[in-house]
Amino acid sequence: MTLDADVGETFASDELDDEIRRWLDQEGISSKRITEDDQADFHYTIQYPASTGDANIHVVRPPGRPVLAMMLGVQLSPNHKQPFQALPQDDKQGLIHAIRRCAFEGGDVGFAPQMEDDVLARWQLDISVYDDGLSQDRFFQSLRTLYTKHLELIEVLNQHLGPEAPADPEQESTTTGDNIRGYI
């Protein structure tokens, strides 16, 4: 089956589920089906990119909606959170503005920051593709856009707070792209 929708056409969720799984398998992208999500017709977490699998992206089909949502949540590393806390209030606001400006640049990606105690703690990036625009190419371009936007936002943090490095060099940590530590 190939997904080629006409304007306004929708896909049966079970057919789309099978096709998404096939696409992921063809590209060697590790995926896990989330079965306990009653807010979705199907829900996968995938490890992206296939070569490193260092970002978790959720692929979700909301029930009864002709759309595929892809989301990437990022928690700020303690090694960026601490310098952020030490910034004067005006500098904090300036950095948050720079992050938002970067996130919305291009207009393809949704961005939702979450603050804790006046400190940026995490953010979520998302892209939605409606059935009448969904193809294998569009699916993988959307995944790549999410991932590269994520790396751009980390670079903004690095520019303002210094490169992220582990507090203890001997401590093992997770990485995201080019050995950017602590982001999941």
Side-chain angles (χ1 to χ4, degrees), residues 4-12 61 65-67 130-134:
D4 291 316
D6 294 325
V7 174
E9 185 176 345
T10 62
F11 301 107
R61 173 68 161 209
R65 303 228 15 244
V67 66
Y130 285 84
D131 285 6
D132 61 354
L134 185 60

Side-chain angles (χ1 to χ4, degrees), residues 109-129:
V109 177
F111 172 74
Q114 295 177 347
M115 306 292 286
E116 288 179 3
D117 300 322
D118 204 29
V119 174
L120 180 64
R122 65 191 63 81
W123 64 70
Q124 179 176 302
L125 303 173
D126 64 83
I127 292 180
S128 297
V129 180

Side-chain angles (χ1 to χ4, degrees), residues 22-159:
R22 187 177 69 77
W23 292 344
L24 292 171
D25 289 346
Q26 282 178 341
E27 295 299 317
I29 295 176
S30 175
S31 65
K32 178 183 174 194
R33 186 178 176 95
I34 307 297
T35 57
E36 64 274 359
D37 187 352
D38 59 355
Q39 298 295 314
D41 284 346
F42 62 84
H43 180 169
Y44 290 97
T45 59
I46 66 170
Q47 300 294 303
Y48 188 86
S51 60
T52 59
D54 59 3
N56 292 319
I57 298 178
H58 293 259
V59 178
V60 178
R61 173 68 161 209
R65 303 228 15 244
V67 66
L68 189 65
M70 291 162 265
M71 298 161 284
L72 170 60
V74 178
Q75 183 160 337
L76 204 65
S77 163
N79 296 316
H80 272 149
K81 194 180 282 189
Q82 292 165 349
F84 188 94
Q85 283 175 310
L87 290 175
Q89 189 61 31
D90 287 348
D91 291 348
K92 285 180 188 176
Q93 292 303 318
L95 178 51
I96 291 169
H97 180 71
I99 291 169
R100 281 188 177 150
R101 188 174 52 245
C102 176
F104 292 130
E105 188 175 275
D108 294 327
V109 177
F111 172 74
Q114 295 177 347
M115 306 292 286
E116 288 179 3
D117 300 322
D118 204 29
V119 174
L120 180 64
R122 65 191 63 81
W123 64 70
Q124 179 176 302
L125 303 173
D126 64 83
I127 292 180
S128 297
V129 180
Y130 285 84
D131 285 6
D132 61 354
L134 185 60
S135 65
Q136 185 174 3
D137 180 64
R138 179 76 185 271
F139 175 72
F140 284 108
Q141 287 295 332
S142 296
L143 292 177
R144 183 168 192 237
T145 298
L146 273 179
Y147 183 72
T148 56
K149 184 59 72 174
H150 155 70
L151 295 179
E152 287 175 27
L153 294 175
I154 292 172
E155 183 58 29
V156 169
L157 288 172
N158 286 339
Q159 289 172 356

